[in-house]
Amino acid sequence: MKQIIFAITGASGIIYGKKTLEAISKEYRVSLMISDNGILVGKKELGIDLKSSLCSLPNTSFFDYKNIDSEIASGFFLCLGMIVCPCSMKTLSAIAYGASENLIQRCADVCLKERKRLILVPRETPLSEIHLENMLKLRKMGADILPAMPGFYEAPKTIDDLVGFIVRKVISLLTKE
């Protein structure tokens, strides 16, 4: 079974991360990290304890994002790459500038240096020039930037339909050769 690293940070849109993780954990082994702010936003937006809820998913192992000494922080860790969903602008900025102060940022840095897939799902609006420059910088380094902007051409009827659009886009990038 293929391995993927998955992180949830403190941006709004925790539902995108939860639903994406639920979908990929069926087919991939997942190394999961959730930032403290991700846990806070998860409680506020979904009314759940993200760690308890998501760690029970199949094929999912939890890693403390503060433990930068973890085996997943190494270029020798065998995985396809990493998804950060949602990705806060703080995390995106740290990744863009190589400021690896925690395991989430270090794993993203390793994915970039090892040329592994890195999918970032920022959820912010409006976007400042700084946000756009950081996204462009990361794109030029090889990261896939997939802002959580659902499409409406599928005539969505529910919020789940809108969330599903983004989940399918992330999975499409993950499985792209």
Side-chain angles (χ1 to χ4, degrees):
M1 186 176 279
K2 295 177 181 177
Q3 174 83 31
I4 191 79
I5 299 170
F6 196 97
I8 295 175
T9 64
S12 181
I14 296 294
I15 191 69
Y16 292 117
K18 181 179 183 294
K19 295 290 187 178
T20 303
L21 182 59
E22 289 170 350
I24 67 169
S25 69
K26 295 173 186 171
E27 297 186 35
Y28 295 86
R29 278 193 328 260
V30 180
S31 298
L32 171 65
M33 297 166 283
I34 307 171
S35 71
D36 289 343
N37 287 335
I39 289 176
L40 288 173
V41 176
K43 176 89 63 193
K44 182 173 185 147
E45 291 184 352
L46 303 177
I48 62 171
D49 177 356
L50 273 181
K51 185 177 175 186
S52 297
S53 174
L54 299 179
C55 287
S56 63
L57 291 172
N59 306 312
T60 302
S61 301
F62 184 78
F63 291 83
D64 182 347
Y65 86 103
K66 295 175 187 171
N67 182 10
I68 202 153
D69 191 34
S70 171
E71 73 260 20
I72 66 173
S74 170
F76 289 109
F77 182 71
L78 297 177
C79 70
L80 293 173
M82 180 176 185
I83 299 168
V84 183
C85 179
C87 183
S88 68
M89 287 300 152
K90 177 182 177 181
T91 299
L92 192 136
S93 175
I95 296 167
Y97 285 90
S100 299
E101 294 181 352
N102 63 49
L103 187 58
I104 294 170
Q105 296 162 3
R106 171 64 184 159
C107 288
D109 186 35
V110 169
C111 284
L112 288 171
K113 79 178 185 70
E114 299 290 331
R115 302 276 187 219
K116 294 179 182 177
R117 175 139 290 136
L118 176 60
I119 301 169
L120 305 175
V121 183
R123 214 298 318 141
E124 183 67 66
T125 192
L127 295 168
S128 74
E129 189 171 324
I130 293 168
H131 300 148
L132 293 167
E133 287 175 356
N134 286 340
M135 284 187 252
L136 180 59
K137 180 177 180 148
L138 284 163
R139 180 65 194 132
K140 287 178 178 177
M141 287 186 238
D144 289 303
I145 310 296
L146 196 159
M149 298 178 196
F152 291 86
Y153 47 84
E154 294 178 346
K157 305 276 186 276
T158 67
I159 293 201
D160 278 346
D161 293 340
L162 294 170
V163 171
F165 177 87
I166 297 299
V167 170
R168 288 188 301 280
K169 287 287 192 177
V170 172
I171 291 170
S172 174
L173 280 176
L174 178 61
T175 59
K176 183 177 134 186
E177 292 299 322

